[in-house]
Amino acid sequence: GDSVTQMEGPVTLSEEAFLTINCTYTATGYPSLFWYVQYPGEGLQLLLKATKADDKGSNKGFEATYRKETTSFHLEKGSVQVSDSAVYFCALSDTRDDKIIFGKGTRLHILP
Amino acid sequence: KAGVTQTPRYLIKTRGQQVTLSCSPISGHRSVSWYQQTPGQGLQFLFEYFSETQRNKGNFPGRFSGRQFSNSRSEMNVSTLELGDSALYLCASSTQQGFNEQFFGPGTRLTVL
């Protein structure tokens, strides 16, 4: 079945460092891909999404490109801030079976 | 516009009891989805309701059920609670069916003793 694998955390970086959080997926169809962020004590927020191959999603300085050839959707940000500390979830949604599958989440700590 | 609200925010129950959680979607949203979040299993999809009809369901036992009312508010019920049902239960709403533009509530933290 479909699955999402993301790098295990926690990831600890200094402020202004470059961020990459890896996400790879397995799907037999043509899924939509998402990154969600969860701040402490809150629900999830949609960070960005891509619905087809080569699409790039971007928001708040974060970017991710839907790479069908490598089945990846890595999250990147050029210069992180302390306020980016949160848990990040990669997810896929396949319209064939109308389900959504989340990765385990990656906790990010940004040090001032 | 008010966000998705969930009540109660915290709940403590004992094994064997049942529980009902409530979710009020953003005004105008007709789709409500429910999720279970645990440290071990992560975030798992429970079910989605759209216009009072359950559209799809994740891999959970029949003890987990839900419904949606004509005003789009939704309730989730868990019967015969087990220790493993302790989790954060999240709901999300959307204007359309599916998962493309979901807005999540803060969750209900359920502890089963």
Side-chain angles (χ1 to χ4, degrees):
Chain A
D2 295 355
S3 66
V4 174
T5 302
Q6 51 181 118
M7 60 190 293
E8 291 192 21
V11 173
T12 302
L13 296 171
S14 297
E15 204 165 23
E16 299 183 4
F18 184 87
L19 168 71
T20 300
I21 300 178
N22 291 336
C23 172
T24 57
Y25 68 90
T26 302
T28 52
Y30 300 94
S32 295
L33 301 174
F34 308 87
W35 277 102
Y36 283 89
V37 58
Q38 186 175 33
Y39 297 102
E42 298 183 14
L44 274 69
Q45 298 177 24
L46 178 63
L47 185 57
L48 53 85
K49 68 176 182 181
T51 58
K52 61 183 188 297
D54 300 325
D55 268 1
K56 177 187 280 189
S58 62
N59 186 25
K60 299 181 182 179
F62 291 90
E63 292 183 341
T65 301
Y66 189 163
R67 302 280 188 206
K68 191 169 185 297
E69 64 276 13
T70 55
T71 62
S72 65
F73 192 55
H74 304 322
L75 183 68
E76 296 182 335
K77 186 176 185 183
S79 176
V80 292
Q81 306 300 313
V82 172
S83 57
D84 294 327
S85 298
V87 181
Y88 292 80
F89 293 90
C90 184
L92 75 80
S93 169
D94 194 333
T95 55
R96 292 174 310 122
D97 62 5
D98 237 351
K99 303 280 172 62
I100 184 166
I101 297 170
F102 289 86
K104 294 289 190 185
T106 302
R107 185 173 298 276
L108 175 65
H109 293 292
I110 306 300
L111 304 175
Chain B
K1 190 184 269 193
V4 177
T5 58
Q6 293 187 244
T7 56
R9 291 294 310 278
Y10 301 91
L11 205 49
I12 298 176
K13 292 286 188 180
T14 56
R15 277 181 301 173
Q17 288 186 309
Q18 75 164 12
V19 67
T20 299
L21 312 182
S22 180
C23 173
S24 293
I26 292 172
S27 177
H29 286 196
R30 295 165 60 195
S31 170
V32 173
S33 296
W34 287 90
Y35 300 86
Q36 182 195 65
Q37 186 176 22
T38 61
Q41 298 300 315
L43 199 59
Q44 294 183 285
F45 169 72
L46 278 155
F47 29 66
E48 180 195 3
Y49 285 86
F50 183 83
S51 294
E52 302 179 63
T53 300
Q54 186 181 90
R55 289 191 62 244
N56 45 18
K57 187 171 166 34
N59 297 326
F60 280 83
R63 300 186 296 108
F64 292 82
S65 63
R67 58 178 175 168
Q68 187 180 33
F69 302 95
S70 58
N71 62 357
S72 295
R73 190 177 70 85
S74 177
E75 288 182 346
M76 191 192 90
N77 185 272
V78 187
S79 62
T80 319
L81 283 166
E82 301 177 0
L83 296 179
D85 297 332
S86 294
L88 180 67
Y89 290 89
L90 295 165
C91 85
S93 75
S94 177
T95 55
Q96 300 174 349
Q97 304 171 47
F99 308 104
N100 269 343
E101 290 287 346
Q102 294 185 100
F103 294 82
F104 280 78
T108 293
R109 172 75 62 186
L110 172 65
T111 301
V112 182
L113 302 176

